[in-house]
Short mmCIF file of all heavy atoms in Angstrom, two decimals:
data_model
loop_
_atom_site.label_atom_id
_atom_site.label_comp_id
_atom_site.label_asym_id
_atom_site.label_seq_id
_atom_site.Cartn_x
_atom_site.Cartn_y
_atom_site.Cartn_z
N VAL A 279 -43.87 210.79 -70.23
CA VAL A 279 -42.40 210.79 -70.31
C VAL A 279 -41.94 210.67 -71.76
O VAL A 279 -41.08 211.42 -72.22
CB VAL A 279 -41.81 209.66 -69.44
CG1 VAL A 279 -40.34 209.43 -69.75
CG2 VAL A 279 -41.99 209.98 -67.96
N SER A 280 -42.51 209.73 -72.51
CA SER A 280 -42.06 209.52 -73.89
C SER A 280 -42.50 210.64 -74.82
O SER A 280 -41.83 210.92 -75.82
CB SER A 280 -42.56 208.17 -74.42
OG SER A 280 -43.96 208.11 -74.42
N SER A 281 -43.60 211.30 -74.51
CA SER A 281 -44.09 212.37 -75.39
C SER A 281 -43.45 213.71 -75.11
O SER A 281 -43.18 214.48 -76.05
CB SER A 281 -45.60 212.52 -75.23
OG SER A 281 -46.25 211.36 -75.66
N PHE A 282 -43.22 214.03 -73.84
CA PHE A 282 -42.83 215.40 -73.50
C PHE A 282 -41.45 215.54 -72.86
O PHE A 282 -40.88 216.61 -72.89
CB PHE A 282 -43.88 216.01 -72.57
CG PHE A 282 -45.26 216.00 -73.15
CD1 PHE A 282 -46.25 215.18 -72.63
CD2 PHE A 282 -45.56 216.80 -74.25
CE1 PHE A 282 -47.53 215.17 -73.18
CE2 PHE A 282 -46.84 216.79 -74.80
CZ PHE A 282 -47.82 215.97 -74.26
N ILE A 283 -40.91 214.49 -72.28
CA ILE A 283 -39.64 214.62 -71.56
C ILE A 283 -38.46 214.11 -72.39
O ILE A 283 -37.44 214.78 -72.49
CB ILE A 283 -39.72 213.88 -70.20
CG1 ILE A 283 -40.77 214.58 -69.33
CG2 ILE A 283 -38.36 213.86 -69.52
CD1 ILE A 283 -41.04 213.90 -68.02
N ILE A 284 -38.60 212.95 -73.02
CA ILE A 284 -37.52 212.39 -73.82
C ILE A 284 -37.44 213.13 -75.15
O ILE A 284 -38.44 213.31 -75.84
CB ILE A 284 -37.73 210.88 -74.06
CG1 ILE A 284 -37.73 210.14 -72.73
CG2 ILE A 284 -36.66 210.32 -74.98
CD1 ILE A 284 -38.05 208.66 -72.84
N THR A 285 -36.23 213.57 -75.51
CA THR A 285 -36.01 214.29 -76.76
C THR A 285 -36.13 213.31 -77.93
O THR A 285 -35.44 212.28 -77.94
CB THR A 285 -34.62 214.94 -76.79
OG1 THR A 285 -34.49 215.76 -75.63
CG2 THR A 285 -34.42 215.76 -78.03
N PRO A 286 -36.96 213.62 -78.92
CA PRO A 286 -37.09 212.70 -80.07
C PRO A 286 -35.82 212.67 -80.91
O PRO A 286 -35.11 213.67 -81.03
CB PRO A 286 -38.27 213.27 -80.85
CG PRO A 286 -38.50 214.63 -80.34
CD PRO A 286 -37.86 214.75 -79.01
N LYS A 287 -35.55 211.52 -81.49
CA LYS A 287 -34.39 211.32 -82.37
C LYS A 287 -34.91 210.92 -83.75
O LYS A 287 -35.87 210.16 -83.88
CB LYS A 287 -33.48 210.21 -81.84
CG LYS A 287 -33.07 210.39 -80.41
CD LYS A 287 -31.80 211.11 -80.29
CE LYS A 287 -31.36 211.10 -78.82
NZ LYS A 287 -30.49 212.10 -78.48
N TYR A 288 -34.25 211.44 -84.79
CA TYR A 288 -34.66 211.19 -86.16
C TYR A 288 -33.57 210.41 -86.90
O TYR A 288 -32.39 210.67 -86.69
CB TYR A 288 -34.92 212.51 -86.88
CG TYR A 288 -36.07 213.28 -86.29
CD1 TYR A 288 -35.87 214.16 -85.23
CD2 TYR A 288 -37.36 213.12 -86.76
CE1 TYR A 288 -36.92 214.87 -84.67
CE2 TYR A 288 -38.42 213.82 -86.21
CZ TYR A 288 -38.20 214.70 -85.16
OH TYR A 288 -39.24 215.38 -84.61
N ASP A 289 -33.98 209.47 -87.75
CA ASP A 289 -33.05 208.69 -88.56
C ASP A 289 -33.16 209.12 -90.01
O ASP A 289 -34.27 209.21 -90.55
CB ASP A 289 -33.37 207.19 -88.48
CG ASP A 289 -32.94 206.57 -87.16
OD1 ASP A 289 -32.27 207.25 -86.38
OD2 ASP A 289 -33.29 205.40 -86.93
N SER A 290 -32.02 209.35 -90.63
CA SER A 290 -31.97 209.65 -92.06
C SER A 290 -31.03 208.64 -92.71
O SER A 290 -29.93 208.40 -92.22
CB SER A 290 -31.48 211.07 -92.30
OG SER A 290 -31.48 211.36 -93.69
N THR A 291 -31.47 208.05 -93.82
CA THR A 291 -30.71 206.98 -94.46
C THR A 291 -30.39 207.32 -95.91
O THR A 291 -31.25 207.82 -96.64
CB THR A 291 -31.50 205.66 -94.42
OG1 THR A 291 -31.80 205.34 -93.07
CG2 THR A 291 -30.74 204.52 -95.06
N THR A 292 -29.17 207.06 -96.29
CA THR A 292 -28.73 207.18 -97.68
C THR A 292 -28.12 205.84 -98.08
O THR A 292 -27.65 205.10 -97.22
CB THR A 292 -27.73 208.34 -97.87
OG1 THR A 292 -27.39 208.44 -99.25
CG2 THR A 292 -26.48 208.15 -97.05
N LYS A 293 -28.13 205.55 -99.38
CA LYS A 293 -27.60 204.26 -99.85
C LYS A 293 -26.65 204.48 -101.01
O LYS A 293 -26.89 205.34 -101.87
CB LYS A 293 -28.74 203.35 -100.29
CG LYS A 293 -29.65 202.94 -99.17
CD LYS A 293 -30.75 202.03 -99.63
CE LYS A 293 -31.66 201.68 -98.45
NZ LYS A 293 -32.73 200.77 -98.85
N ILE A 294 -25.58 203.66 -101.02
CA ILE A 294 -24.63 203.71 -102.12
C ILE A 294 -24.45 202.30 -102.70
O ILE A 294 -24.67 201.31 -102.01
CB ILE A 294 -23.27 204.29 -101.69
CG1 ILE A 294 -22.67 203.51 -100.52
CG2 ILE A 294 -23.38 205.75 -101.37
CD1 ILE A 294 -21.28 203.95 -100.11
N TYR A 295 -24.07 202.27 -103.97
CA TYR A 295 -23.82 201.02 -104.68
C TYR A 295 -22.40 201.05 -105.20
O TYR A 295 -22.01 202.00 -105.89
CB TYR A 295 -24.82 200.89 -105.84
CG TYR A 295 -24.67 199.64 -106.65
CD1 TYR A 295 -25.19 198.44 -106.20
CD2 TYR A 295 -24.03 199.66 -107.88
CE1 TYR A 295 -25.07 197.28 -106.94
CE2 TYR A 295 -23.91 198.50 -108.64
CZ TYR A 295 -24.43 197.33 -108.17
OH TYR A 295 -24.31 196.18 -108.90
N ILE A 296 -21.64 200.02 -104.87
CA ILE A 296 -20.23 199.98 -105.25
C ILE A 296 -19.98 198.74 -106.09
O ILE A 296 -20.32 197.63 -105.68
CB ILE A 296 -19.33 199.96 -104.01
CG1 ILE A 296 -19.65 201.14 -103.10
CG2 ILE A 296 -17.87 199.96 -104.41
CD1 ILE A 296 -19.05 201.06 -101.74
N LEU A 297 -19.39 198.94 -107.26
CA LEU A 297 -19.05 197.82 -108.11
C LEU A 297 -17.77 198.15 -108.85
O LEU A 297 -17.67 199.18 -109.52
CB LEU A 297 -20.17 197.53 -109.11
CG LEU A 297 -19.95 196.32 -110.01
CD1 LEU A 297 -19.82 195.05 -109.19
CD2 LEU A 297 -21.10 196.19 -110.98
N ASN A 298 -16.79 197.30 -108.71
CA ASN A 298 -15.51 197.49 -109.37
C ASN A 298 -15.44 196.56 -110.58
O ASN A 298 -15.50 195.35 -110.44
CB ASN A 298 -14.36 197.16 -108.40
CG ASN A 298 -13.02 197.55 -108.97
OD1 ASN A 298 -12.95 198.30 -109.93
ND2 ASN A 298 -11.97 197.04 -108.37
N ARG A 299 -15.32 197.14 -111.75
CA ARG A 299 -15.24 196.35 -112.98
C ARG A 299 -13.79 196.14 -113.37
O ARG A 299 -13.01 197.07 -113.39
CB ARG A 299 -15.96 197.05 -114.12
CG ARG A 299 -17.44 197.15 -113.92
CD ARG A 299 -18.08 197.76 -115.12
NE ARG A 299 -19.49 197.97 -114.84
CZ ARG A 299 -20.35 198.39 -115.72
NH1 ARG A 299 -19.96 198.67 -116.94
NH2 ARG A 299 -21.60 198.55 -115.41
N GLN A 300 -13.48 194.90 -113.71
CA GLN A 300 -12.14 194.62 -114.20
C GLN A 300 -12.02 195.01 -115.67
O GLN A 300 -10.98 195.45 -116.13
CB GLN A 300 -11.82 193.13 -114.03
CG GLN A 300 -11.77 192.72 -112.58
CD GLN A 300 -11.64 191.22 -112.41
OE1 GLN A 300 -11.66 190.46 -113.36
NE2 GLN A 300 -11.50 190.79 -111.16
N ASN A 301 -13.11 194.86 -116.40
CA ASN A 301 -13.15 195.21 -117.81
C ASN A 301 -14.16 196.34 -117.95
O ASN A 301 -15.30 196.21 -117.53
CB ASN A 301 -13.57 193.98 -118.62
CG ASN A 301 -13.61 194.25 -120.10
OD1 ASN A 301 -13.48 195.40 -120.54
ND2 ASN A 301 -13.79 193.20 -120.88
N ASN A 302 -13.79 197.44 -118.56
CA ASN A 302 -14.66 198.60 -118.64
C ASN A 302 -15.89 198.37 -119.51
O ASN A 302 -16.87 199.09 -119.40
CB ASN A 302 -13.90 199.81 -119.16
CG ASN A 302 -12.91 200.33 -118.14
OD1 ASN A 302 -13.08 200.09 -116.96
ND2 ASN A 302 -11.88 201.01 -118.60
N ASP A 303 -15.85 197.39 -120.39
CA ASP A 303 -16.96 197.19 -121.32
C ASP A 303 -18.09 196.34 -120.74
O ASP A 303 -19.25 196.67 -120.86
CB ASP A 303 -16.46 196.53 -122.61
CG ASP A 303 -15.45 197.41 -123.34
OD1 ASP A 303 -15.54 198.64 -123.19
OD2 ASP A 303 -14.60 196.85 -124.04
N ASN A 304 -17.73 195.24 -120.11
CA ASN A 304 -18.74 194.29 -119.65
C ASN A 304 -18.61 194.02 -118.16
O ASN A 304 -17.53 194.06 -117.59
CB ASN A 304 -18.60 192.96 -120.39
CG ASN A 304 -18.83 193.11 -121.87
OD1 ASN A 304 -19.67 193.89 -122.29
ND2 ASN A 304 -18.08 192.36 -122.67
N LEU A 305 -19.75 193.72 -117.56
CA LEU A 305 -19.79 193.32 -116.16
C LEU A 305 -19.73 191.80 -116.12
O LEU A 305 -20.56 191.12 -116.72
CB LEU A 305 -21.08 193.81 -115.52
CG LEU A 305 -21.28 193.49 -114.05
CD1 LEU A 305 -20.24 194.22 -113.22
CD2 LEU A 305 -22.67 193.90 -113.62
N THR A 306 -18.75 191.26 -115.43
CA THR A 306 -18.58 189.81 -115.38
C THR A 306 -19.05 189.26 -114.04
O THR A 306 -19.24 190.01 -113.08
CB THR A 306 -17.10 189.42 -115.60
OG1 THR A 306 -16.34 189.94 -114.50
CG2 THR A 306 -16.58 189.96 -116.91
N LEU A 307 -19.19 187.94 -114.01
CA LEU A 307 -19.59 187.28 -112.77
C LEU A 307 -18.54 187.47 -111.69
O LEU A 307 -18.87 187.68 -110.51
CB LEU A 307 -19.83 185.79 -113.01
CG LEU A 307 -20.24 184.95 -111.80
CD1 LEU A 307 -21.55 185.46 -111.24
CD2 LEU A 307 -20.33 183.49 -112.17
N SER A 308 -17.28 187.45 -112.06
CA SER A 308 -16.22 187.64 -111.07
C SER A 308 -16.26 189.06 -110.49
O SER A 308 -15.93 189.26 -109.32
CB SER A 308 -14.85 187.36 -111.68
OG SER A 308 -14.55 188.30 -112.68
N ASP A 309 -16.69 190.06 -111.29
CA ASP A 309 -16.84 191.42 -110.77
C ASP A 309 -17.89 191.47 -109.68
O ASP A 309 -17.68 192.09 -108.63
CB ASP A 309 -17.25 192.38 -111.90
CG ASP A 309 -16.15 192.61 -112.92
OD1 ASP A 309 -14.97 192.42 -112.57
OD2 ASP A 309 -16.48 192.98 -114.05
#
């Protein structure tokens, strides 16, 4: 059943990083 009857499903993952800087020059702890 698991090999031939159930349709296989595939997972694809992408990742993003988001950081909002208050000061364009330096990254602060509050950022």
